C-alpha cells in the first residue's frame, strides 16, 4: 500500500488558523483550511468600518487570495457542524466530511450577553463585516432620523450613543463615534446641534482598558472625557431595550447601543465532547493539544492556555498568530515521527489602543507611550501588520485623507436585502 | 404678510436631482432634496462593484456630503409615498409632508421583467449598491460551490453565467464576469478548469449595443467572442428558474443569471394621477413640466421627452444631468416671475461602453473609437465625471492595481444579516 500524505484540517481562517496554514508551507502534508466565510478579517480595524472611516474591503481579504502561492493548502468555504473524533473527521453542513490526521481548531469567539440574549437585538456587537456595516447603518440612520425629528426629547435620544464595555474595542468605538458625530453635525446636518450629542461609555469595572497599566487607563479616561465622552465606571448594565439602557440607578434614553462587553468561544468544546471553561474555551496541554485527543489542537480565542507565569494568554491577534505558528511546528514534528512535547511560550509584545485622532496608548512593557506620538506608532504598527500590500496603500491613503480633510470615506447606509429598500422607520426599529 | 421664499422640492438624488439641486445654488429659494437613500450612486461604474473591482464606497457618496457647501438646500432621507397635487405637497411615509412651489421628480427607473416578476428571484438586476453586492456574492459563491462540487454536470452549471440583455450594462457585465472568473480560477481555484467556464450573453435584438452604430456593434460582438463570451442574438427568454434559463429552442443550466434587459420608471405617473407610457414614464412639455400641473417637472429616466428630431431622449446620465440643469433654469425664471417657456434641448455627447480590459467602444458622432485607445478614453472620462476628488484618487489606484497585478480588490462575500451567517447552501438557493 502506498503511504499517503499526512492530512491537516484547520477550521477557521482568522489570525490563528491563517498563521498555522502559512507556517505549514512546504510541509509534507495535505492542508485543508475550512471557513464558513470567504475572507480573513483584520479585526483590530473593524471598528473603523463601523464608524465609516474604512470600507469593508480594506480590512478583509479572500482567504484563497492570501494563500494563493502555497501549493499544499486547499481552501474550503463550508460550515462545520461537528467533529467525529473517533473517525477523525470534520463534519460539514452539506453532509460531507473532511478526514484529518491533525486537526487545528481556530474558530474564535462571538459576542456574549451573559444570559441576556434578548439584548443582542438592541445592542449589536462587532465581530464580522456585517456587524460593522449594520452598526454603521445604525449610527448614520440615527443622525438622519434626528434631522427629521421635531420633538426635542426624542431628538436628544437619537443623538445619544451608548457603548457598553471599556476594553480596547469600546474605547476605540467611543472615540471614533464622537468624532464621526461631531464632524457630521458640523459639516452636513446644519439643523442639529453638537450640544445635543451624547456619547456614553459604560463599564462594569473600575477603570477603562483594564488590561493596561493603571497610568495608561487614567490617561485614556482623561483623554475620552476631554473629547466629550461620558464615562460611567463600576456600572453594571441591568437592562437594554429599544428605548435605552439601564445601569445601576441610572437610565439613558438612546436608540443606538453598541455591545463591546463580552465574548464567548465558539462551540468547539461541544464538538469535541469535552468540558469548556465559563467562557466556553477548551483547556489545552502545553503543546496546545486537547487532553486525550491526540492530534487535535485548539488555538486562539477558543483555547484556554496558561502562561508559565500563571496568567492566561490574552485573546488578542498576536497570541493567536503565535499559537498558529507553534501548532504548525508541533504538527511538523508529528509528521516527522518525533514525539517530544513542544510547549507553547507566549511572548507578549505589548498592548495598543487608540482613543481618537492624535491620541493613543501603548504599553510595550519596557516603555509606555501616550498621546500623539503613540497615535502615530499605533497607525504605523497597524499598517505594518496588514497582510496585503494593496490594503497598506489604500488604508494609508484613507487615513491621510481623513487626517487632512476630516472627511470619512465610507458613510454609506446600505441594507442587507437586495431588490428592496426598507423604509427608514422599519430599519430604525430592527 | 412677509413674503416667504419659493420652495423647491426635488425627489431623487441621482444624476438628475443632484444636478438640479446644484444648479439652484444661490437661487432665492428654499430647496429640499428628498431621497430614500443617503447616497448618490455613480451608476455607470456599479457593474464594477458587482464584479469585485471596486468597493461600494468608491461609487457612492452621501448626498449631504456632495451638497455640504450649498446654503439653500436641505437634504432629507425619507421615502415618498405620494403627491398631493392640489395641496402642492409631497407625502412621506412617516405621515409628514413637504410643501412645494416647484416640484422636480427625478426618481429614476427600476428593473422590469415584462410581466414575469417571478424571474427577479433568480435573475437580479443591477440598480442599487445592494444589488451589486448581492450579484458579487452570487458570482463568488458559484465559484466556491463549484470548487466543492464533485458531480461534473453540476459543476459545469455552477461555472455557467448567463446575462440577459446586451445593452451597455449587459455587455460590460459579460466582459467583466469572464475576466473575474478566469482570473479567479487560474489564481485561486486550482481544482477548477477554465474549460468548464461559460459566460452566455442573451439578447432579444439582432445586435449588441443597439444604440451604437452597427460598425461598433459588430466590433463589440467580435471582441466579446474573442474573450470567450457566447453571444446569442435574436433570442427571447421564455423562462427563468433556479436551475437555468430557456430561450428560443435552447436551455442553459446555470445557477447565476443576471438581468440587464429592461427597466421601468418609478411610480411617478401614479403619484401625479397622470397617464404613463408603456415603460411608466411621464410625457412632459418642452420645458419638462407636466401638462396641466404647473410647477411640476419630471426629469431623467422617469420622463418621456422627445427631441426636436423626433427621437426620444435616452435614459443615460448626461441626459438626466442636462435636464436637471435645465429645470433649475426654468424654476429660476418662475421665481423671477418670468413666464416664457424655456424648451429643453438635449445635446448628445456620445456613447461609451467597455468590453473588458483594453477594449471599449466610443461613439462621439464626429468620431468613432474602438479597442485599447477607446478603453483608456473610457477610463479617463469616467474618472473625470466622478463627483468627488477622493474617489478619483481611489478609483484610479484601484484600476491601476488591477491593470498591473490582475487582482480585484473587493472579492468579499457578505450577507445582509448581521449576527447571523447563513449557510452556503441556503444562500445559493436564494
Amino acid at each position: 500500500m502506498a503511504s499517503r500524505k499526512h492530512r491537516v484540517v484547520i477550521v477557521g481562517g482568522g489570525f490563528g488558523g491563517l498563521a498555522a496554514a502559512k507556517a505549514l508551507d512546504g510541509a509534507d502534508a495535505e492542508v485543508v483550511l475550512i471557513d464558513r466565510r470567504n475572507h480573513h478579517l483584520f479585526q483590530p480595524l473593524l471598528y473603523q468600518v463601523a464608524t465609516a472611516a474604512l470600507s469593508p474591503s480594506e480590512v478583509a481579504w479572500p482567504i484563497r487570495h492570501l494563500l494563493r502561492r502555497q501549493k499544499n493548502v486547499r481552501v474550503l468555504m463550508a460550515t462545520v457542524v461537528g467533529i467525529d473524533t473517533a473517525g477523525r473527521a470534520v463534519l460539514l453542513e452539506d453532509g460531507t466530511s473532511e478526514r484529518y490526521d491533525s486537526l487545528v481548531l481556530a474558530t474564535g469567539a462571538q459576542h456574549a450577553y451573559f444570559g441576556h440574549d434578548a439584548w443582542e437585538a438592541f445592542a449589536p456587537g462587532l465581530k464580522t463585516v456585517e456587524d460593522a456595516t449594520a452598526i454603521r447603518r445604525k449610527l448614520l440612520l440615527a443622525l438622519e432620523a434626528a434631522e427629521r425629528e421635531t420633538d426635542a426629547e426624542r431628538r436628544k435620544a437619537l443623538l445619544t450613543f451608548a457603548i457598553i464595555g471599556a476594553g480596547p474595542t469600546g474605547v476605540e468605538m467611543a472615540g471614533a463615534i464622537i468624532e464621526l458625530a461631531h464632524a457630521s453635525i458640523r459639516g452636513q446636518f446644519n439643523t442639529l446641534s453638537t450640544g445635543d450629542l451624547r456619547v456614553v461609555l459604560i463599564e462594569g469595572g473600575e477603570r477603562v482598558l483594564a488590561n493596561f497599566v493603571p497610568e495608561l487607563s487614567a490617561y485614556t479616561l482623561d483623554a475620552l472625557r476631554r473629547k466629550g465622552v461620558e464615562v460611567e465606571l463600576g456600572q453594571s448594565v441591568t437592562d437594554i431595550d429599544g428605548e435605552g439602557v439601564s445601569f445601576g440607578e441610572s437610565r439613558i434614553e438612546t436608540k443606538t447601543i453598541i455591545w463591546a462587553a463580552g465574548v464567548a468561544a465558539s462551540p468547539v468544546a461541544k464538538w469535541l465532547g469535552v468540558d469548556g471553561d465559563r467562557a466556553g474555551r477548551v483547556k489545552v496541554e502545553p503543546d496546545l493539544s486537547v487532553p486525550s485527543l491526540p492530534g487535535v489542537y485548539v488555538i486562539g480565542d477558543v483555547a484556554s492556555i496558561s502562561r508559565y507565569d500563571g496568567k492566561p494568554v490574552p485573546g488578542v491577534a498576536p497570541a493567536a498568530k503565535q499559537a498558529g505558528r507553534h501548532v504548525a511546528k508541533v504538527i511538523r514534528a508529528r509528521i516527522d515521527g518525533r514525539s517530544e512535547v513542544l510547549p507553547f511560550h507566549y511572548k507578549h509584545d505589548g498592548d495598543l489602543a487608540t482613543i481618537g485622532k492624535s491620541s493613543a496608548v501603548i504599553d510595550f512593557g519596557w516603555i509606555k507611550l501616550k498621546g500623539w506620538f503613540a497615535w502615530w506608532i499605533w497607525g504605523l504598527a497597524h499598517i505594518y501588520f496588514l497582510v496585503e500590500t494593496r490594503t497598506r496603500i489604500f488604508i494609508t491613503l484613507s487615513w491621510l485623507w481623513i487626517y487632512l480633510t476630516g472627511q470619512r470615506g465610507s458613510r454609506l447606509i446600505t441594507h442587507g436585502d437586495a431588490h428592496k429598500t426598507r423604509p427608514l422607520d422599519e430599519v430604525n426599529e430592527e
Side-chain angles (χ1 to χ4, degrees), chain A:
Chain A
M1 199 177 84
S3 83
R4 57 166 185 69
K5 281 215 173 154
H6 190 91
R7 206 156 196 274
V8 183
V9 172
I10 301 169
V11 184
F15 286 111
L18 194 64
K22 283 185 167 176
L24 285 167
D25 192 9
D28 187 26
E30 214 181 295
V31 181
V32 179
L33 191 155
I34 305 174
D35 199 296
R36 59 183 177 177
R37 292 167 177 276
N38 82 326
H39 51 267
H40 168 76
L41 179 61
F42 194 77
Q43 284 262 3
L45 291 181
L46 192 58
Y47 82 95
Q48 298 216 351
V49 175
T51 52
L54 297 177
S55 74
S57 56
E58 288 174 326
V59 302
W61 315 273
I63 298 167
R64 287 184 193 287
H65 172 72
L66 300 177
L67 294 172
R68 69 193 179 282
R69 293 207 184 85
Q70 191 169 329
K71 298 280 176 227
N72 68 345
V73 66
R74 186 178 159 217
V75 178
L76 207 61
M77 182 176 168
T79 302
V80 171
V81 292
I83 294 165
D84 173 6
T85 51
R88 300 183 82 76
V90 172
L91 311 176
L92 304 179
E93 197 181 39
D94 64 1
T96 64
S97 62
E98 291 289 329
R99 193 185 50 73
Y100 63 82
D101 296 305
S102 295
L103 174 63
V104 180
L105 297 166
T107 48
Q110 299 155 335
H111 342 282
Y113 290 82
F114 311 132
H116 297 279
D117 289 349
W119 294 357
E120 184 172 12
F122 311 111
L126 185 64
K127 276 282 168 195
T128 65
V129 168
E130 287 85 354
D131 290 341
T133 49
I135 288 176
R136 182 177 76 186
R137 178 171 71 224
K138 258 180 120 70
L139 294 172
L140 298 176
L141 275 180
L143 295 170
E144 295 285 345
E147 210 275 338
R148 293 169 59 199
E149 182 59 65
T150 49
D151 179 271
E153 283 310 303
R154 283 204 294 265
R155 192 166 56 239
K156 277 186 187 169
L158 285 163
L159 290 177
T160 300
F161 303 91
I163 300 105
I164 299 166
T169 301
V171 166
E172 290 175 334
M173 282 297 289
I177 287 173
I178 203 159
E179 287 178 1
L180 166 68
H182 260 137
S184 299
I185 291 174
R186 281 205 214 104
Q188 298 175 48
F189 293 86
N190 315 332
T191 54
L192 298 179
S193 150
T194 53
D196 284 343
L197 177 67
R198 279 183 81 188
V199 176
V200 188
L201 179 63
I202 304 164
E203 164 62 36
E206 287 307 326
R207 59 188 177 104
V208 301
L209 299 180
N211 56 325
F212 284 64
V213 292
E215 173 200 345
L216 293 182
S217 292
Y219 169 81
T220 303
L221 179 64
D222 189 51
L224 283 169
R225 287 185 170 153
R226 264 181 291 130
K227 275 187 186 294
V229 175
E230 299 169 40
V231 185
E232 301 277 354
L233 294 172
Q235 299 287 356
S236 290
V237 169
T238 53
D239 194 30
I240 295 175
D241 56 41
E243 301 299 321
V245 50
S246 304
F247 53 94
E249 307 293 297
S250 307
R251 164 88 182 169
I252 291 174
E253 302 296 318
T254 166
K255 289 284 188 183
T256 316
I257 307 168
I258 292 156
W259 186 262
V263 293
S266 28
V268 160
K270 210 180 74 189
W271 291 348
L272 294 174
V274 301
D275 289 332
D277 70 3
R278 217 164 42 111
R281 289 172 308 187
V282 175
K283 179 113 188 95
V284 292
E285 303 282 356
D287 67 347
L288 306 176
S289 66
V290 180
S292 79
L293 289 173
V296 177
Y297 307 90
V298 180
I299 61 172
D301 287 359
V302 80
S304 161
I305 313 165
S306 292
R307 278 196 277 181
Y308 61 95
D309 57 6
K311 284 192 212 163
V313 171
V316 295
K321 282 197 226 175
Q322 291 176 28
R325 285 192 291 263
H326 183 80
V327 95
K329 213 185 292 175
V330 172
I331 291 170
R332 280 173 183 268
R334 278 195 91 204
I335 295 170
D336 295 346
R338 286 178 281 134
S339 63
E340 81 267 44
V341 169
L342 294 166
F344 172 59
H345 295 296
Y346 170 63
K347 183 170 166 291
H348 189 67
D349 289 326
D351 291 304
L352 294 79
T354 173
I355 308 155
K357 190 170 176 176
S358 298
S359 186
V361 286
I362 297 180
D363 183 353
F364 286 138
W366 55 277
I367 191 168
K368 291 166 184 43
L369 300 169
K370 57 198 180 196
W372 66 268
F373 184 68
W375 187 72
W376 280 94
I377 299 283
W378 176 91
L380 291 173
H382 279 76
I383 288 167
Y384 173 79
F385 282 118
L386 287 168
V387 290
E388 214 219 18
T389 313
R390 182 187 181 280
T391 327
R392 286 204 184 101
I393 300 169
F394 276 72
I395 290 193
T396 306
L397 279 172
S398 289
W399 284 351
L400 209 58
W401 188 267
I402 296 171
Y403 189 79
L404 296 175
T405 68
Q407 292 164 12
R408 288 162 181 260
S410 198
R411 284 162 301 175
L412 304 186
I413 299 176
T414 50
H415 302 297
D417 306 42
H419 322 303
K420 217 174 22 180
T421 305
R422 281 185 290 172
L424 185 63
D425 302 311
E426 186 189 323
V427 173
N428 269 335
E429 255 137 63
E430 81 184 0

